[in-house]
Amino acid sequence: METVVTLTLNGEMVSARADQTLLDVIREQKIDLPTLCHMQGLSERGGCRLCVVEVQGAPRPMAACVTPVTEGMVVRTHTPELEHQRRLVVELLLAERNHVCAVCVVNGHCDLQWAAAKLGVASVRYEYLHPDLTMDASHARFVLDHNRCILCTRCVRVCDEVEGAHTWDIAGRGIKTRVITDLSRPWGDSPSCTSCGKCVQVCPTGALFEKGATVAEMTKERDFVGWIIRGRTKREWTW
Amino acid sequence: MTKLKLATVWLDGCSGCHMSFLDIDERLLELVEKVDIVYSPLVDFKAFPDAVDITLVEGAVSNQDDLEKIKKVRAHTRLLVALGDCAVTANVPSMRNPFGVDQVVKRAYEENVTLQPQLPTQAVPPLLKRVRPVHDIVTVDVHLPGCPPSADAIFAALVALVEGRTPDVAALTRFGA
């Protein structure tokens, strides 16, 4: 039998299964909480910090996606302080690399852009770093643009956990961190890449896109990870 | 009631924000009942006036001329509005920042020139080392992102400012809109 716990979410008593994360429960309750690195069907990374919530008794905000529910937990999701911290996170992401929305392939279809709009980020208080970053267009069908990458690792996880190829990885530390393909050889030379395109579809920004797409032309199909997982686990193949 | 003074300024941008401003269309008539346009690339006054109520700034700060202009504009403006992504984020003009000024100037005046390639020494204002958003240089009161912000967004923001309200920017526009 499944263990059920009760917690307080924004002042309301809520029941949850003990194996759920806080983010699961928050989304079940139709509370709008922004995320960038989370993707239903993939393991959690807890890296983007947009889903931070206030847990009573905890010394600092907790990322809801990697926090298991516990009995008696008291959680708040939208305090002014949390909203402030979410805005800072988005501004830091925008300042770190070259996110030029106006000329981006996913302008209008970008998770980062929408997170900024939703959180009311209308300017960035930090100095833009404008790093000199490369693009890898060696693959026949897809392009990697480091200028737009936010290091959410959705590509790494979907390639490893769903496609089973593990072409993508992370190299470097801190500001020098980059996503790489096959020990940092050009994507087009990768012997492990199956060209399935899952990484491109789950990428929240314009960092991975289909060759030939120009400004605002690239839209992404995000639901397919759920379809595949449901098919594999429940034998329900629908899309 | 005395009319408010409105100015618009064009720094390093494509003029698309000014085009969008003009796209307010017949509502411009409504607007000029409440404001006088005292300085703008669209009108013929040569000098920036002493006391302006609202100034819309299009474009990023890219060269020495932009830098001096924006400081002067700020000093004589009550409410400074960064209009559009170039003013707000430095946007496309800032795409030269990773390369550095020398490479950019060389590309423009030498590599792509067939007749008498030479670097300009007069009349052309020297480029700043880095292109920066307006709020990096002076205090900005309202950020109105968008590339360009829609005419509706510009009009709504102006109406709010004229009526002494803070425009609800998040409801009007976003980066890249």
PDB file of all heavy atoms in Angstrom, chain A residues 154-190:
ATOM      1  N   ARG A 154      19.054  19.019 -20.104  1.00  0.00           N
ATOM      2  CA  ARG A 154      17.944  18.186 -20.599  1.00  0.00           C
ATOM      3  C   ARG A 154      18.416  17.314 -21.758  1.00  0.00           C
ATOM      4  O   ARG A 154      18.009  16.164 -21.887  1.00  0.00           O
ATOM      5  CB  ARG A 154      16.812  19.070 -21.083  1.00  0.00           C
ATOM      6  CG  ARG A 154      15.948  19.681 -20.004  1.00  0.00           C
ATOM      7  CD  ARG A 154      14.731  20.220 -20.733  1.00  0.00           C
ATOM      8  NE  ARG A 154      13.997  21.221 -20.020  1.00  0.00           N
ATOM      9  CZ  ARG A 154      12.958  21.877 -20.555  1.00  0.00           C
ATOM     10  NH1 ARG A 154      12.592  21.658 -21.807  1.00  0.00           N
ATOM     11  NH2 ARG A 154      12.295  22.761 -19.863  1.00  0.00           N
ATOM     12  N   CYS A 155      19.296  17.863 -22.621  1.00  0.00           N
ATOM     13  CA  CYS A 155      19.800  17.096 -23.768  1.00  0.00           C
ATOM     14  C   CYS A 155      20.605  15.901 -23.289  1.00  0.00           C
ATOM     15  O   CYS A 155      20.464  14.786 -23.806  1.00  0.00           O
ATOM     16  CB  CYS A 155      20.655  17.991 -24.672  1.00  0.00           C
ATOM     17  SG  CYS A 155      22.012  18.832 -23.826  1.00  0.00           S
ATOM     18  N   VAL A 156      21.438  16.127 -22.267  1.00  0.00           N
ATOM     19  CA  VAL A 156      22.280  15.048 -21.721  1.00  0.00           C
ATOM     20  C   VAL A 156      21.387  13.933 -21.191  1.00  0.00           C
ATOM     21  O   VAL A 156      21.600  12.747 -21.470  1.00  0.00           O
ATOM     22  CB  VAL A 156      23.183  15.595 -20.582  1.00  0.00           C
ATOM     23  CG1 VAL A 156      24.003  14.468 -19.960  1.00  0.00           C
ATOM     24  CG2 VAL A 156      24.082  16.712 -21.098  1.00  0.00           C
ATOM     25  N   ARG A 157      20.356  14.339 -20.447  1.00  0.00           N
ATOM     26  CA  ARG A 157      19.503  13.346 -19.785  1.00  0.00           C
ATOM     27  C   ARG A 157      18.604  12.605 -20.769  1.00  0.00           C
ATOM     28  O   ARG A 157      18.432  11.393 -20.668  1.00  0.00           O
ATOM     29  CB  ARG A 157      18.678  14.029 -18.682  1.00  0.00           C
ATOM     30  CG  ARG A 157      19.531  14.383 -17.457  1.00  0.00           C
ATOM     31  CD  ARG A 157      18.773  15.186 -16.439  1.00  0.00           C
ATOM     32  NE  ARG A 157      18.598  16.576 -16.849  1.00  0.00           N
ATOM     33  CZ  ARG A 157      17.574  17.330 -16.489  1.00  0.00           C
ATOM     34  NH1 ARG A 157      16.619  16.844 -15.720  1.00  0.00           N
ATOM     35  NH2 ARG A 157      17.505  18.593 -16.891  1.00  0.00           N
ATOM     36  N   VAL A 158      18.028  13.316 -21.740  1.00  0.00           N
ATOM     37  CA  VAL A 158      17.121  12.620 -22.660  1.00  0.00           C
ATOM     38  C   VAL A 158      17.916  11.647 -23.533  1.00  0.00           C
ATOM     39  O   VAL A 158      17.458  10.549 -23.844  1.00  0.00           O
ATOM     40  CB  VAL A 158      16.292  13.615 -23.510  1.00  0.00           C
ATOM     41  CG1 VAL A 158      17.076  14.156 -24.698  1.00  0.00           C
ATOM     42  CG2 VAL A 158      14.996  12.973 -24.007  1.00  0.00           C
ATOM     43  N   CYS A 159      19.134  12.030 -23.887  1.00  0.00           N
ATOM     44  CA  CYS A 159      19.966  11.172 -24.733  1.00  0.00           C
ATOM     45  C   CYS A 159      20.380   9.923 -23.977  1.00  0.00           C
ATOM     46  O   CYS A 159      20.367   8.811 -24.517  1.00  0.00           O
ATOM     47  CB  CYS A 159      21.205  11.960 -25.182  1.00  0.00           C
ATOM     48  SG  CYS A 159      22.208  11.094 -26.389  1.00  0.00           S
ATOM     49  N   ASP A 160      20.719  10.088 -22.710  1.00  0.00           N
ATOM     50  CA  ASP A 160      21.138   8.955 -21.888  1.00  0.00           C
ATOM     51  C   ASP A 160      19.942   8.106 -21.458  1.00  0.00           C
ATOM     52  O   ASP A 160      19.938   6.891 -21.615  1.00  0.00           O
ATOM     53  CB  ASP A 160      21.876   9.489 -20.660  1.00  0.00           C
ATOM     54  CG  ASP A 160      22.260   8.373 -19.698  1.00  0.00           C
ATOM     55  OD1 ASP A 160      22.710   7.313 -20.184  1.00  0.00           O
ATOM     56  OD2 ASP A 160      22.097   8.552 -18.475  1.00  0.00           O
ATOM     57  N   GLU A 161      18.901   8.759 -20.949  1.00  0.00           N
ATOM     58  CA  GLU A 161      17.839   8.023 -20.258  1.00  0.00           C
ATOM     59  C   GLU A 161      16.726   7.537 -21.188  1.00  0.00           C
ATOM     60  O   GLU A 161      16.059   6.556 -20.886  1.00  0.00           O
ATOM     61  CB  GLU A 161      17.228   8.917 -19.156  1.00  0.00           C
ATOM     62  CG  GLU A 161      18.236   9.283 -18.075  1.00  0.00           C
ATOM     63  CD  GLU A 161      17.744  10.435 -17.191  1.00  0.00           C
ATOM     64  OE1 GLU A 161      16.538  10.734 -17.214  1.00  0.00           O
ATOM     65  OE2 GLU A 161      18.585  11.021 -16.484  1.00  0.00           O
ATOM     66  N   VAL A 162      16.482   8.230 -22.260  1.00  0.00           N
ATOM     67  CA  VAL A 162      15.382   7.842 -23.144  1.00  0.00           C
ATOM     68  C   VAL A 162      15.907   7.214 -24.441  1.00  0.00           C
ATOM     69  O   VAL A 162      15.493   6.134 -24.833  1.00  0.00           O
ATOM     70  CB  VAL A 162      14.451   9.039 -23.453  1.00  0.00           C
ATOM     71  CG1 VAL A 162      13.286   8.596 -24.324  1.00  0.00           C
ATOM     72  CG2 VAL A 162      13.932   9.652 -22.158  1.00  0.00           C
ATOM     73  N   GLU A 163      16.855   7.886 -25.079  1.00  0.00           N
ATOM     74  CA  GLU A 163      17.395   7.328 -26.318  1.00  0.00           C
ATOM     75  C   GLU A 163      18.418   6.229 -26.031  1.00  0.00           C
ATOM     76  O   GLU A 163      18.568   5.291 -26.811  1.00  0.00           O
ATOM     77  CB  GLU A 163      18.021   8.442 -27.170  1.00  0.00           C
ATOM     78  CG  GLU A 163      18.656   7.998 -28.482  1.00  0.00           C
ATOM     79  CD  GLU A 163      17.667   7.353 -29.449  1.00  0.00           C
ATOM     80  OE1 GLU A 163      16.467   7.361 -29.179  1.00  0.00           O
ATOM     81  OE2 GLU A 163      18.133   6.815 -30.472  1.00  0.00           O
ATOM     82  N   GLY A 164      19.128   6.338 -24.894  1.00  0.00           N
ATOM     83  CA  GLY A 164      20.113   5.311 -24.543  1.00  0.00           C
ATOM     84  C   GLY A 164      21.428   5.453 -25.279  1.00  0.00           C
ATOM     85  O   GLY A 164      22.235   4.526 -25.312  1.00  0.00           O
ATOM     86  N   ALA A 165      21.673   6.599 -25.876  1.00  0.00           N
ATOM     87  CA  ALA A 165      22.911   6.776 -26.644  1.00  0.00           C
ATOM     88  C   ALA A 165      24.015   7.446 -25.830  1.00  0.00           C
ATOM     89  O   ALA A 165      25.188   7.148 -26.004  1.00  0.00           O
ATOM     90  CB  ALA A 165      22.636   7.608 -27.897  1.00  0.00           C
ATOM     91  N   HIS A 166      23.633   8.331 -24.931  1.00  0.00           N
ATOM     92  CA  HIS A 166      24.588   9.099 -24.107  1.00  0.00           C
ATOM     93  C   HIS A 166      25.666   9.764 -24.964  1.00  0.00           C
ATOM     94  O   HIS A 166      26.862   9.649 -24.674  1.00  0.00           O
ATOM     95  CB  HIS A 166      25.237   8.228 -23.018  1.00  0.00           C
ATOM     96  CG  HIS A 166      25.763   9.045 -21.875  1.00  0.00           C
ATOM     97  ND1 HIS A 166      25.442   8.800 -20.563  1.00  0.00           N
ATOM     98  CD2 HIS A 166      26.576  10.140 -21.857  1.00  0.00           C
ATOM     99  CE1 HIS A 166      26.041   9.685 -19.793  1.00  0.00           C
ATOM    100  NE2 HIS A 166      26.732  10.511 -20.550  1.00  0.00           N
ATOM    101  N   THR A 167      25.217  10.453 -25.982  1.00  0.00           N
ATOM    102  CA  THR A 167      26.139  11.231 -26.813  1.00  0.00           C
ATOM    103  C   THR A 167      26.569  12.505 -26.083  1.00  0.00           C
ATOM    104  O   THR A 167      27.717  12.908 -26.145  1.00  0.00           O
ATOM    105  CB  THR A 167      25.447  11.606 -28.141  1.00  0.00           C
ATOM    106  OG1 THR A 167      25.108  10.398 -28.821  1.00  0.00           O
ATOM    107  CG2 THR A 167      26.340  12.480 -29.015  1.00  0.00           C
ATOM    108  N   TRP A 168      25.614  13.110 -25.378  1.00  0.00           N
ATOM    109  CA  TRP A 168      25.873  14.410 -24.734  1.00  0.00           C
ATOM    110  C   TRP A 168      26.521  14.247 -23.373  1.00  0.00           C
ATOM    111  O   TRP A 168      26.233  13.287 -22.653  1.00  0.00           O
ATOM    112  CB  TRP A 168      24.558  15.186 -24.564  1.00  0.00           C
ATOM    113  CG  TRP A 168      23.987  15.665 -25.861  1.00  0.00           C
ATOM    114  CD1 TRP A 168      22.952  15.113 -26.546  1.00  0.00           C
ATOM    115  CD2 TRP A 168      24.438  16.784 -26.630  1.00  0.00           C
ATOM    116  NE1 TRP A 168      22.722  15.822 -27.697  1.00  0.00           N
ATOM    117  CE2 TRP A 168      23.622  16.846 -27.772  1.00  0.00           C
ATOM    118  CE3 TRP A 168      25.450  17.730 -26.460  1.00  0.00           C
ATOM    119  CZ2 TRP A 168      23.783  17.834 -28.743  1.00  0.00           C
ATOM    120  CZ3 TRP A 168      25.617  18.705 -27.424  1.00  0.00           C
ATOM    121  CH2 TRP A 168      24.783  18.752 -28.555  1.00  0.00           C
ATOM    122  N   ASP A 169      27.338  15.191 -23.028  1.00  0.00           N
ATOM    123  CA  ASP A 169      27.916  15.273 -21.692  1.00  0.00           C
ATOM    124  C   ASP A 169      28.247  16.712 -21.373  1.00  0.00           C
ATOM    125  O   ASP A 169      28.074  17.593 -22.206  1.00  0.00           O
ATOM    126  CB  ASP A 169      29.186  14.414 -21.598  1.00  0.00           C
ATOM    127  CG  ASP A 169      28.941  13.160 -20.754  1.00  0.00           C
ATOM    128  OD1 ASP A 169      28.421  13.326 -19.633  1.00  0.00           O
ATOM    129  OD2 ASP A 169      29.252  12.058 -21.226  1.00  0.00           O
ATOM    130  N   ILE A 170      28.745  16.905 -20.166  1.00  0.00           N
ATOM    131  CA  ILE A 170      29.134  18.234 -19.717  1.00  0.00           C
ATOM    132  C   ILE A 170      30.643  18.241 -19.528  1.00  0.00           C
ATOM    133  O   ILE A 170      31.184  17.319 -18.928  1.00  0.00           O
ATOM    134  CB  ILE A 170      28.459  18.549 -18.359  1.00  0.00           C
ATOM    135  CG1 ILE A 170      26.953  18.704 -18.537  1.00  0.00           C
ATOM    136  CG2 ILE A 170      29.061  19.774 -17.710  1.00  0.00           C
ATOM    137  CD1 ILE A 170      26.524  19.993 -19.175  1.00  0.00           C
ATOM    138  N   ALA A 171      31.302  19.275 -20.037  1.00  0.00           N
ATOM    139  CA  ALA A 171      32.741  19.417 -19.817  1.00  0.00           C
ATOM    140  C   ALA A 171      33.014  20.766 -19.168  1.00  0.00           C
ATOM    141  O   ALA A 171      32.260  21.721 -19.361  1.00  0.00           O
ATOM    142  CB  ALA A 171      33.494  19.329 -21.145  1.00  0.00           C
ATOM    143  N   GLY A 172      34.094  20.836 -18.405  1.00  0.00           N
ATOM    144  CA  GLY A 172      34.501  22.108 -17.811  1.00  0.00           C
ATOM    145  C   GLY A 172      33.793  22.400 -16.509  1.00  0.00           C
ATOM    146  O   GLY A 172      32.910  21.653 -16.072  1.00  0.00           O
ATOM    147  N   ARG A 173      34.188  23.506 -15.890  1.00  0.00           N
ATOM    148  CA  ARG A 173      33.628  23.889 -14.598  1.00  0.00           C
ATOM    149  C   ARG A 173      33.194  25.344 -14.641  1.00  0.00           C
ATOM    150  O   ARG A 173      33.776  26.145 -15.379  1.00  0.00           O
ATOM    151  CB  ARG A 173      34.690  23.742 -13.491  1.00  0.00           C
ATOM    152  CG  ARG A 173      35.095  22.317 -13.195  1.00  0.00           C
ATOM    153  CD  ARG A 173      34.052  21.618 -12.337  1.00  0.00           C
ATOM    154  NE  ARG A 173      34.468  20.265 -11.977  1.00  0.00           N
ATOM    155  CZ  ARG A 173      34.310  19.209 -12.758  1.00  0.00           C
ATOM    156  NH1 ARG A 173      33.766  19.350 -13.947  1.00  0.00           N
ATOM    157  NH2 ARG A 173      34.700  18.017 -12.363  1.00  0.00           N
ATOM    158  N   GLY A 174      32.210  25.676 -13.825  1.00  0.00           N
ATOM    159  CA  GLY A 174      31.797  27.072 -13.664  1.00  0.00           C
ATOM    160  C   GLY A 174      31.458  27.722 -14.989  1.00  0.00           C
ATOM    161  O   GLY A 174      30.764  27.157 -15.827  1.00  0.00           O
ATOM    162  N   ILE A 175      31.982  28.916 -15.190  1.00  0.00           N
ATOM    163  CA  ILE A 175      31.652  29.702 -16.368  1.00  0.00           C
ATOM    164  C   ILE A 175      32.161  29.042 -17.647  1.00  0.00           C
ATOM    165  O   ILE A 175      31.701  29.349 -18.740  1.00  0.00           O
ATOM    166  CB  ILE A 175      32.218  31.139 -16.209  1.00  0.00           C
ATOM    167  CG1 ILE A 175      31.468  32.124 -17.094  1.00  0.00           C
ATOM    168  CG2 ILE A 175      33.697  31.200 -16.498  1.00  0.00           C
ATOM    169  CD1 ILE A 175      30.465  32.932 -16.353  1.00  0.00           C
ATOM    170  N   LYS A 176      33.115  28.117 -17.510  1.00  0.00           N
ATOM    171  CA  LYS A 176      33.667  27.447 -18.693  1.00  0.00           C
ATOM    172  C   LYS A 176      32.917  26.153 -19.035  1.00  0.00           C
ATOM    173  O   LYS A 176      33.348  25.407 -19.926  1.00  0.00           O
ATOM    174  CB  LYS A 176      35.149  27.146 -18.474  1.00  0.00           C
ATOM    175  CG  LYS A 176      35.995  28.399 -18.447  1.00  0.00           C
ATOM    176  CD  LYS A 176      37.453  28.068 -18.248  1.00  0.00           C
ATOM    177  CE  LYS A 176      38.277  29.342 -18.230  1.00  0.00           C
ATOM    178  NZ  LYS A 176      39.613  29.135 -17.652  1.00  0.00           N
ATOM    179  N   THR A 177      31.865  25.874 -18.330  1.00  0.00           N
ATOM    180  CA  THR A 177      31.115  24.639 -18.584  1.00  0.00           C
ATOM    181  C   THR A 177      30.487  24.667 -19.975  1.00  0.00           C
ATOM    182  O   THR A 177      29.935  25.679 -20.396  1.00  0.00           O
ATOM    183  CB  THR A 177      30.003  24.481 -17.531  1.00  0.00           C
ATOM    184  OG1 THR A 177      30.588  24.600 -16.233  1.00  0.00           O
ATOM    185  CG2 THR A 177      29.328  23.125 -17.656  1.00  0.00           C
ATOM    186  N   ARG A 178      30.586  23.546 -20.682  1.00  0.00           N
ATOM    187  CA  ARG A 178      29.968  23.434 -22.009  1.00  0.00           C
ATOM    188  C   ARG A 178      29.322  22.059 -22.148  1.00  0.00           C
ATOM    189  O   ARG A 178      29.829  21.083 -21.601  1.00  0.00           O
ATOM    190  CB  ARG A 178      31.022  23.544 -23.127  1.00  0.00           C
ATOM    191  CG  ARG A 178      31.864  24.787 -23.125  1.00  0.00           C
ATOM    192  CD  ARG A 178      31.129  25.996 -23.696  1.00  0.00           C
ATOM    193  NE  ARG A 178      32.020  27.140 -23.697  1.00  0.00           N
ATOM    194  CZ  ARG A 178      32.112  28.028 -22.704  1.00  0.00           C
ATOM    195  NH1 ARG A 178      31.348  27.917 -21.643  1.00  0.00           N
ATOM    196  NH2 ARG A 178      32.952  29.046 -22.785  1.00  0.00           N
ATOM    197  N   VAL A 179      28.235  22.002 -22.947  1.00  0.00           N
ATOM    198  CA  VAL A 179      27.750  20.676 -23.331  1.00  0.00           C
ATOM    199  C   VAL A 179      28.636  20.198 -24.479  1.00  0.00           C
ATOM    200  O   VAL A 179      29.043  20.989 -25.339  1.00  0.00           O
ATOM    201  CB  VAL A 179      26.260  20.690 -23.766  1.00  0.00           C
ATOM    202  CG1 VAL A 179      25.347  20.910 -22.571  1.00  0.00           C
ATOM    203  CG2 VAL A 179      25.988  21.716 -24.846  1.00  0.00           C
ATOM    204  N   ILE A 180      28.955  18.912 -24.455  1.00  0.00           N
ATOM    205  CA  ILE A 180      29.818  18.357 -25.501  1.00  0.00           C
ATOM    206  C   ILE A 180      29.198  17.081 -26.063  1.00  0.00           C
ATOM    207  O   ILE A 180      28.354  16.450 -25.421  1.00  0.00           O
ATOM    208  CB  ILE A 180      31.242  18.030 -24.987  1.00  0.00           C
ATOM    209  CG1 ILE A 180      31.155  17.106 -23.747  1.00  0.00           C
ATOM    210  CG2 ILE A 180      32.019  19.295 -24.659  1.00  0.00           C
ATOM    211  CD1 ILE A 180      32.465  16.439 -23.401  1.00  0.00           C
ATOM    212  N   THR A 181      29.617  16.714 -27.259  1.00  0.00           N
ATOM    213  CA  THR A 181      29.209  15.443 -27.837  1.00  0.00           C
ATOM    214  C   THR A 181      30.440  14.541 -27.924  1.00  0.00           C
ATOM    215  O   THR A 181      31.501  14.978 -28.402  1.00  0.00           O
ATOM    216  CB  THR A 181      28.629  15.644 -29.255  1.00  0.00           C
ATOM    217  OG1 THR A 181      29.448  16.579 -29.968  1.00  0.00           O
ATOM    218  CG2 THR A 181      27.226  16.210 -29.193  1.00  0.00           C
ATOM    219  N   ASP A 182      30.285  13.318 -27.455  1.00  0.00           N
ATOM    220  CA  ASP A 182      31.344  12.311 -27.548  1.00  0.00           C
ATOM    221  C   ASP A 182      32.759  12.814 -27.244  1.00  0.00           C
ATOM    222  O   ASP A 182      33.594  12.946 -28.144  1.00  0.00           O
ATOM    223  CB  ASP A 182      31.334  11.673 -28.945  1.00  0.00           C
ATOM    224  CG  ASP A 182      30.257  10.615 -29.043  1.00  0.00           C
ATOM    225  OD1 ASP A 182      29.896  10.050 -27.998  1.00  0.00           O
ATOM    226  OD2 ASP A 182      29.775  10.382 -30.161  1.00  0.00           O
ATOM    227  N   LEU A 183      33.046  13.080 -26.015  1.00  0.00           N
ATOM    228  CA  LEU A 183      34.385  13.527 -25.599  1.00  0.00           C
ATOM    229  C   LEU A 183      34.855  14.743 -26.392  1.00  0.00           C
ATOM    230  O   LEU A 183      36.018  14.889 -26.710  1.00  0.00           O
ATOM    231  CB  LEU A 183      35.404  12.382 -25.707  1.00  0.00           C
ATOM    232  CG  LEU A 183      35.085  11.157 -24.837  1.00  0.00           C
ATOM    233  CD1 LEU A 183      36.078  10.037 -25.116  1.00  0.00           C
ATOM    234  CD2 LEU A 183      35.113  11.521 -23.353  1.00  0.00           C
ATOM    235  N   SER A 184      33.870  15.613 -26.717  1.00  0.00           N
ATOM    236  CA  SER A 184      34.155  16.897 -27.333  1.00  0.00           C
ATOM    237  C   SER A 184      34.689  16.804 -28.765  1.00  0.00           C
ATOM    238  O   SER A 184      35.519  17.591 -29.171  1.00  0.00           O
ATOM    239  CB  SER A 184      35.141  17.705 -26.461  1.00  0.00           C
ATOM    240  OG  SER A 184      34.999  19.077 -26.736  1.00  0.00           O
ATOM    241  N   ARG A 185      34.197  15.843 -29.498  1.00  0.00           N
ATOM    242  CA  ARG A 185      34.483  15.875 -30.934  1.00  0.00           C
ATOM    243  C   ARG A 185      33.281  16.537 -31.627  1.00  0.00           C
ATOM    244  O   ARG A 185      32.210  16.642 -31.044  1.00  0.00           O
ATOM    245  CB  ARG A 185      34.736  14.470 -31.485  1.00  0.00           C
ATOM    246  CG  ARG A 185      33.513  13.559 -31.480  1.00  0.00           C
ATOM    247  CD  ARG A 185      33.737  12.366 -32.394  1.00  0.00           C
ATOM    248  NE  ARG A 185      34.675  11.407 -31.831  1.00  0.00           N
ATOM    249  CZ  ARG A 185      35.141  10.350 -32.504  1.00  0.00           C
ATOM    250  NH1 ARG A 185      34.776  10.163 -33.753  1.00  0.00           N
ATOM    251  NH2 ARG A 185      35.953   9.491 -31.943  1.00  0.00           N
ATOM    252  N   PRO A 186      33.448  17.028 -32.863  1.00  0.00           N
ATOM    253  CA  PRO A 186      32.308  17.684 -33.520  1.00  0.00           C
ATOM    254  C   PRO A 186      31.093  16.753 -33.582  1.00  0.00           C
ATOM    255  O   PRO A 186      31.240  15.544 -33.788  1.00  0.00           O
ATOM    256  CB  PRO A 186      32.850  17.978 -34.920  1.00  0.00           C
ATOM    257  CG  PRO A 186      34.322  18.037 -34.761  1.00  0.00           C
ATOM    258  CD  PRO A 186      34.666  17.068 -33.684  1.00  0.00           C
ATOM    259  N   TRP A 187      29.923  17.337 -33.399  1.00  0.00           N
ATOM    260  CA  TRP A 187      28.676  16.559 -33.342  1.00  0.00           C
ATOM    261  C   TRP A 187      28.532  15.694 -34.595  1.00  0.00           C
ATOM    262  O   TRP A 187      28.113  14.536 -34.530  1.00  0.00           O
ATOM    263  CB  TRP A 187      27.511  17.538 -33.194  1.00  0.00           C
ATOM    264  CG  TRP A 187      26.202  16.931 -32.830  1.00  0.00           C
ATOM    265  CD1 TRP A 187      25.908  15.613 -32.604  1.00  0.00           C
ATOM    266  CD2 TRP A 187      24.979  17.649 -32.620  1.00  0.00           C
ATOM    267  NE1 TRP A 187      24.593  15.461 -32.271  1.00  0.00           N
ATOM    268  CE2 TRP A 187      23.997  16.687 -32.282  1.00  0.00           C
ATOM    269  CE3 TRP A 187      24.617  18.993 -32.691  1.00  0.00           C
ATOM    270  CZ2 TRP A 187      22.670  17.054 -32.009  1.00  0.00           C
ATOM    271  CZ3 TRP A 187      23.300  19.350 -32.414  1.00  0.00           C
ATOM    272  CH2 TRP A 187      22.347  18.391 -32.080  1.00  0.00           C
ATOM    273  N   GLY A 188      28.888  16.265 -35.747  1.00  0.00           N
ATOM    274  CA  GLY A 188      28.752  15.534 -37.004  1.00  0.00           C
ATOM    275  C   GLY A 188      29.628  14.287 -37.080  1.00  0.00           C
ATOM    276  O   GLY A 188      29.352  13.383 -37.868  1.00  0.00           O
ATOM    277  N   ASP A 189      30.697  14.247 -36.276  1.00  0.00           N
ATOM    278  CA  ASP A 189      31.590  13.084 -36.285  1.00  0.00           C
ATOM    279  C   ASP A 189      31.250  12.086 -35.191  1.00  0.00           C
ATOM    280  O   ASP A 189      31.970  11.116 -34.991  1.00  0.00           O
ATOM    281  CB  ASP A 189      33.053  13.527 -36.065  1.00  0.00           C
ATOM    282  CG  ASP A 189      33.553  14.408 -37.187  1.00  0.00           C
ATOM    283  OD1 ASP A 189      32.915  14.405 -38.260  1.00  0.00           O
ATOM    284  OD2 ASP A 189      34.558  15.113 -36.984  1.00  0.00           O
ATOM    285  N   SER A 190      30.179  12.349 -34.460  1.00  0.00           N
ATOM    286  CA  SER A 190      29.871  11.502 -33.311  1.00  0.00           C
ATOM    287  C   SER A 190      29.425  10.108 -33.748  1.00  0.00           C
ATOM    288  O   SER A 190      28.444   9.968 -34.471  1.00  0.00           O
ATOM    289  CB  SER A 190      28.746  12.156 -32.493  1.00  0.00           C
ATOM    290  OG  SER A 190      28.145  11.186 -31.664  1.00  0.00           O
TER     291      SER A 190
END
